[in-house]
Amino acid sequence: SPDPHPQRRHLHFLNCSLWQDNSMSVKRFTFAKFSEVTEQCFLLFTLILLMFFASLTGNALIALAIWTNPGLHTPMYFFLANLSLLEIGYTCSVIPKMLQSLVSEARGISREGCATQMFFFTLFAISECCLLAAMAFDRYMAICSPLHYSTRMSRGTCAQLAVVSWGVGCLVGLGQTNYIFSLDFCGPCEIDHFFCDLPPILALACGDTSHNEAAVFVVAILCISSPFLLIIASYGRILATVLVMPSPEGRHKALSTCSSHLLVVTLFYGSGSVTYLRPKASHSPGIDKLLALFYTVVTSMLNPIIYSLRNKEVKTALRRTLGKKKILTHG
């Protein structure tokens, strides 16, 4: 019998063919505009650029001060130098492209470029989660087991903890990036975000992405929640030890060495957990952008300020480093 709807079948065939062609031909993505008002974009560009330079300068100075001052060659400052390097990589993987998108019509990024940005962002973010847990363990050993601290937190142990942190970040970055970019993207290809983060890229994929979303959630649980629980456990033991210290000076010194780290952990984990651990139905592009802006720019800028303002040894080392630079410049 003749087909009662030949035109409908023909259109359906064309749509399927176009979908397949588009999914195979997607080579570039485009970042969404922040605002249609040019003045707002320029104001945001200026603000983010200033914070970006402040973040780079602050973190670079802390890493340099620790490297050039032998008195700071201890486990705590070794981890702090690694944290500063992670923050530099973290911001450099995201901010330059975002600044370009704010003031230029060239807001596109190739598929390969997007995958590269996602890999490095994930690498630095996951490595920082692990490193913050290593820093909490270091404080636990220093305060709760001071007699064994020098042997258990040797240079070799600290190097191993740093290598593991960077290694976990690299493995997770490779795994997540390969898994997501093995999908087809059928359009629209506008990323409703300012960098190639995992949730907004998954939103552009064709077909069923439930397995990928589950993988992102599991990785977030393992690599965000697990280190956070280790940090909480470490500081629980630290608090119990500090409370029974007989000397008020000892209690104050112990708490002062932990307060900066706790503040950094709260800022980083607070914004990251809200972004990646809340249900998909509660996600809002506007809120996600604000949170991402906070943990990619604001937190990275605040970390050097927090550590330098609340730590006399870091302030002294920074003065020496800046003094050496002035002498070399004038000389």
Side-chain angles (χ1 to χ4, degrees):
S1 61
D3 189 343
H5 303 290
Q7 293 181 341
R8 187 182 301 174
R9 286 185 178 273
H10 182 63
L11 287 173
H12 177 71
F13 174 76
L14 286 176
N15 287 335
C16 291
S17 301
L18 286 172
W19 181 85
Q20 290 173 352
D21 291 341
N22 285 338
S23 68
M24 297 298 291
S25 64
V26 168
K27 299 296 181 184
R28 292 186 68 80
F29 297 98
T30 303
F31 294 111
K33 273 190 173 183
F34 277 80
S35 172
E36 295 295 335
V37 182
T38 305
E39 290 78 9
Q40 290 181 356
C41 289
F42 182 75
L43 180 62
L44 194 57
F45 171 86
T46 305
L47 182 62
I48 293 174
L49 182 64
L50 290 173
M51 289 192 292
F52 179 53
F53 280 137
S55 174
L56 290 183
T57 304
N59 284 295
L61 281 174
I62 283 185
L64 183 63
I66 292 171
W67 180 264
T68 56
N69 286 271
L72 297 184
H73 292 177
T74 62
M76 181 172 72
Y77 295 111
F78 168 77
F79 289 127
L80 179 55
N82 271 269
L83 181 66
S84 295
L85 293 177
L86 282 172
E87 294 287 6
I88 291 171
Y90 196 59
T91 53
C92 287
S93 67
V94 172
I95 304 305
K97 188 64 180 178
M98 180 179 66
L99 291 171
Q100 180 191 5
S101 300
L102 278 169
V103 294
S104 171
E105 290 299 322
R107 301 191 314 277
I109 186 170
S110 67
R111 185 182 176 118
E112 293 76 15
C114 192
T116 302
Q117 188 184 62
M118 181 182 289
F119 164 71
F120 280 108
F121 170 76
T122 307
L123 185 159
F124 293 124
I126 298 300
S127 298
E128 185 163 340
C129 289
C130 298
L131 191 71
L132 288 172
M135 293 173 76
F137 178 72
D138 171 68
R139 291 299 82 208
Y140 160 74
M141 291 300 302
I143 295 171
C144 300
S145 186
L147 297 178
H148 303 286
Y149 179 69
S150 59
T151 55
R152 292 184 180 177
M153 294 302 293
S154 63
R155 288 187 177 183
T157 302
C158 294
Q160 288 173 4
L161 289 172
V163 168
V164 168
S165 299
W166 286 81
V168 170
C170 186
L171 289 174
V172 172
L174 280 173
Q176 289 285 59
T177 303
N178 286 332
Y179 195 31
I180 288 176
F181 280 89
S182 64
L183 297 169
D184 288 327
F185 298 93
C186 53
C189 297
E190 184 178 83
I191 304 170
D192 196 5
H193 210 46
F194 58 81
F195 70 97
C196 293
D197 200 3
L198 283 73
I201 295 297
L202 272 176
L204 302 179
C206 306
D208 182 18
T209 60
S210 57
H211 293 293
N212 302 83
E213 291 167 6
V216 171
F217 187 76
V218 168
V219 167
I221 289 290
L222 293 176
C223 299
I224 296 179
S225 298
S226 298
F228 184 68
L229 291 175
L230 288 174
I231 292 170
I232 295 298
S234 297
Y235 278 104
R237 294 291 301 274
I238 288 171
L239 183 61
T241 302
V242 168
L243 289 176
V244 297
M245 285 182 176
S247 168
E249 292 80 9
R251 288 197 298 269
H252 176 74
K253 184 178 179 181
L255 291 174
S256 65
T257 61
C258 298
S259 58
S260 299
H261 182 248
L262 273 175
L263 186 54
V264 169
V265 167
T266 303
L267 291 172
F268 182 78
Y269 273 96
S271 54
S273 299
V274 172
T275 300
Y276 296 103
L277 295 179
R278 76 180 195 270
K280 181 183 176 182
S282 64
H283 277 262
S284 164
I287 294 175
D288 288 347
K289 287 178 188 177
L290 286 174
L291 288 170
L293 195 63
F294 185 82
Y295 64 72
T296 54
V297 185
V298 179
T299 302
S300 298
M301 180 191 68
L302 290 177
N303 285 356
I305 298 172
I306 292 168
Y307 278 109
S308 60
L309 288 180
R310 300 184 64 85
N311 191 303
K312 292 181 180 178
E313 291 177 325
V314 173
K315 283 192 285 188
T316 303
L318 285 172
R319 290 193 197 101
R320 288 176 184 167
T321 303
L322 292 172
K324 289 177 184 177
K325 282 190 172 185
K326 289 178 180 178
I327 291 171
L328 289 172
T329 303
H330 291 302

